Amino acid sequence: GPWNGSVVLFCSRSLAKTAAAAMFGIEGGAVEDADARDALGEMTNIIGGNFKCVETTFDAEPGRLSLPVVTDGTLNVPRIASRSIVRFAALGELLEVSVLDSDPVAASVE
């Protein structure tokens, strides 16, 4: 659709592993990093899908979602402007969801 941007989910490795254990029914100590990445990717898809539904409500063109990218390091999203950041306390840890707009005007100001 007409909107182009990113949905970014940020949390600690331990929170990602706790989410994976709950999501996949795995004992906490048996959760691998790959399980945590899969869980974060799925959670990001769910959040992105809900955001897409909201955007589609206001835009005539249906949106599209790409596959999630999960990293445990630096994330480089070119030409962005923050639309919204929401922070949650989840099991005493930070879970942050950001919606970023691709914004060529903001990017050219750098």
Side-chain angles (χ1 to χ4, degrees), residues 1-5 48-49 51-53 55-56 61-67:
W3 180 75
N4 187 13
F51 183 75
K52 178 183 150 188
C53 288
E55 283 296 304
T56 302
E61 282 185 61
R64 293 183 329 197
L65 290 176
S66 66
L67 293 173

Side-chain angles (χ1 to χ4, degrees), residues 20-37:
M23 188 178 287
F24 304 133
I26 302 171
E27 289 294 324
V31 176
E32 301 287 335
D33 285 345
D35 300 320
R37 284 190 293 276

Side-chain angles (χ1 to χ4, degrees), residues 20-88:
M23 188 178 287
F24 304 133
I26 302 171
E27 289 294 324
V31 176
E32 301 287 335
D33 285 345
D35 300 320
R37 284 190 293 276
D38 287 346
L40 285 180
E42 186 57 32
M43 290 173 15
T44 304
N45 271 339
I46 292 167
I47 294 166
N50 282 298
F51 183 75
K52 178 183 150 188
C53 288
V54 170
E55 283 296 304
T56 302
T57 302
F58 298 106
D59 295 325
E61 282 185 61
R64 293 183 329 197
L65 290 176
S66 66
L67 293 173
V69 175
V70 179
T71 179
D72 34 346
T74 302
L75 178 65
N76 182 13
V77 183
R79 300 174 9 173
I80 61 166
S82 178
R83 174 183 268 201
S84 180
I85 299 173
V86 181
R87 293 178 180 94
F88 301 93

Side-chain angles (χ1 to χ4, degrees), residues 3-8 77 80-84 98-102:
W3 180 75
N4 187 13
S6 302
V7 175
V8 179
V77 183
I80 61 166
S82 178
R83 174 183 268 201
S84 180
S98 301
V99 177
L100 309 172
D101 284 323
S102 291

